[in-house]
Amino acid sequence: MTKQKIGIIGAGPVGSIMAAHLARSGEEVYLIDIREDIISAVEQKGITLSGTGANFSARVKGTGCFAASLDRLHVDHIFIAVKSNYMETLLEEIKLFYRIGQKLLILQNGIDNEDQAAGKFGAENVMRFIVNYAGMTMEPGYVRVSFFNPPNYIGAFTPKNERKAKDLAELITNAGLKTDYVPDIKKHEWKKTILNAALMPVCATTGLTMKQAMGLEDTRYLCEQILAESIRVAQEVGFDYGEDFFETALSYLSKAGHHKPSTSLDLEAGNPIEYIFQPIIDYGKKKRVPTPYLESLTKVMRCLEHKKREVKL
C-alpha cells in the first residue's frame, strides 16, 4: 500500500497513540485538536508514548486546532478520535471541506456512531474501527499506554469499501497496532460496549479502579448483573456470543488493572461524560429487555456529573 495522507481529529490517548504509530512508520499524519496546549506540545516535541508495548517518540507532518485545517491538505482519510459527545458538531464541520473519495474512519467507543456519519456522508465513505488499546495523557504530547489487547478491528459497510478496509488494517498493523478486517463489525462494537458497560458505571459511581471493582464482592455483583443484562439485550438485537460468553467476559474483566476508565476520570475532573453504554439501555427498552442495574447506575452517574460540574462552575 502506498504511503497515505491521514488526518486524525482528536489528540486524546486514542488519537495520539494512532498518530504516533502511523507517523513512526512513515505515513503523512496531521493531528487536529481544539486543545492548544496539546497541539503546541506536539509541534515542539512530537508525541511520546511509554507503557505497554510502546516506548518511542514520533513527529507528525502537521497539526491544527480546527478540523478545517485539513481543508488545504487533501488527505486520503479522516480518522475521527473525539468523544461521541462532539460527533454531530464535528461532522457538520467536516462537511464544509469534505471531498469525494475521502474515507472517514470512526475510532470511537460505543454503538452506532458510524451510522451518524453514514447519514451525512454515505455508507460507502465510512468505516468503523474498534479500538482495543487505551492510554492516559500524562502531560501534553505524552501518553502512557495502559494496555493493548490485540487485535483492533476494522469493518466496512459496503462491498466497495472492503478492499480499502483490508488495506487500512494492513497499514495500521504494519505500524505496530495489529488490526484485523472483519465483515461483522457491528457485532464487535456491541461486544466491546458490553464489556465497557459492565465496569464503567460501577467504577465511576464508586471511585474504584477496575481491579478493585472486580475484587470486591458487592461491586463484582453489580458488574455481573450489568453484564448479564447487556448480553440479553445484544441477543435480542441479533448478536449471540455463545453460551460461555458470560464466564469468558468475567474472566477478561477480572484481569483489568489498577486504573480507572475514562468515565471515572472525566467525572472526577468535571468534564462531560461519554455515556457509551446508553444505547444498551435504549435498545433494551425497544426490545422490552429490562436493564435495571445499568440504568440505575447510569442515572447515579448523571447526578454525580451534574453535581461535579456545578461545583466546577
Side-chain angles (χ1 to χ4, degrees), residues 74-222:
H74 302 278
V75 296
D76 301 301
H77 310 292
I78 300 172
F79 288 15
I80 297 178
V82 301
K83 291 183 179 180
S84 57
N85 311 39
Y86 309 110
M87 187 69 158
E88 185 174 353
T89 300
L90 177 59
L91 292 177
E92 289 299 321
E93 291 181 29
I94 294 174
K95 280 178 63 177
L96 298 176
F97 63 84
Y98 176 81
R99 290 176 171 81
I100 294 175
Q102 290 176 326
K103 303 299 181 183
L104 273 62
L105 185 63
I106 313 301
L107 283 78
Q108 295 174 320
N109 286 320
I111 294 170
D112 295 341
N113 309 46
E114 66 280 0
D115 294 349
Q116 194 174 359
K120 294 183 182 295
F121 297 92
E124 69 278 7
N125 294 313
V126 176
M127 291 176 280
R128 178 64 189 263
F129 190 90
I130 304 302
V131 180
N132 282 324
Y133 60 80
M136 180 181 297
T137 300
M138 307 307 294
E139 62 182 60
Y142 170 38
V143 175
R144 186 176 67 200
V145 182
S146 305
F147 65 83
F148 178 31
N149 297 317
N152 304 299
Y153 297 105
I154 189 172
F157 300 98
T158 63
K160 180 181 177 181
N161 264 354
E162 287 183 7
R163 183 67 264 165
K164 180 65 70 175
K166 290 176 181 178
D167 287 343
L168 282 173
E170 181 180 0
L171 180 146
I172 296 169
T173 294
N174 291 339
L177 293 171
K178 180 171 172 51
T179 300
D180 291 346
Y181 167 80
V182 290
D184 54 349
I185 194 68
K186 286 276 189 184
K187 186 173 183 179
H188 288 275
E189 71 183 58
W190 266 84
K191 182 178 181 180
K192 185 178 182 188
T193 305
I194 288 170
L195 294 172
N196 282 332
L199 268 175
M200 280 183 165
V202 176
C203 291
T205 54
T206 61
L208 299 174
T209 66
M210 292 190 282
K211 188 174 185 65
Q212 289 170 333
M214 291 302 294
L216 297 173
E217 181 179 352
D218 291 336
T219 46
R220 184 184 178 93
Y221 174 81
L222 293 174

Side-chain angles (χ1 to χ4, degrees), residues 3-17:
K3 294 300 180 182
Q4 298 292 292
K5 203 171 184 180
I6 298 169
I8 298 179
I9 304 176
V14 169
S16 291
I17 292 170

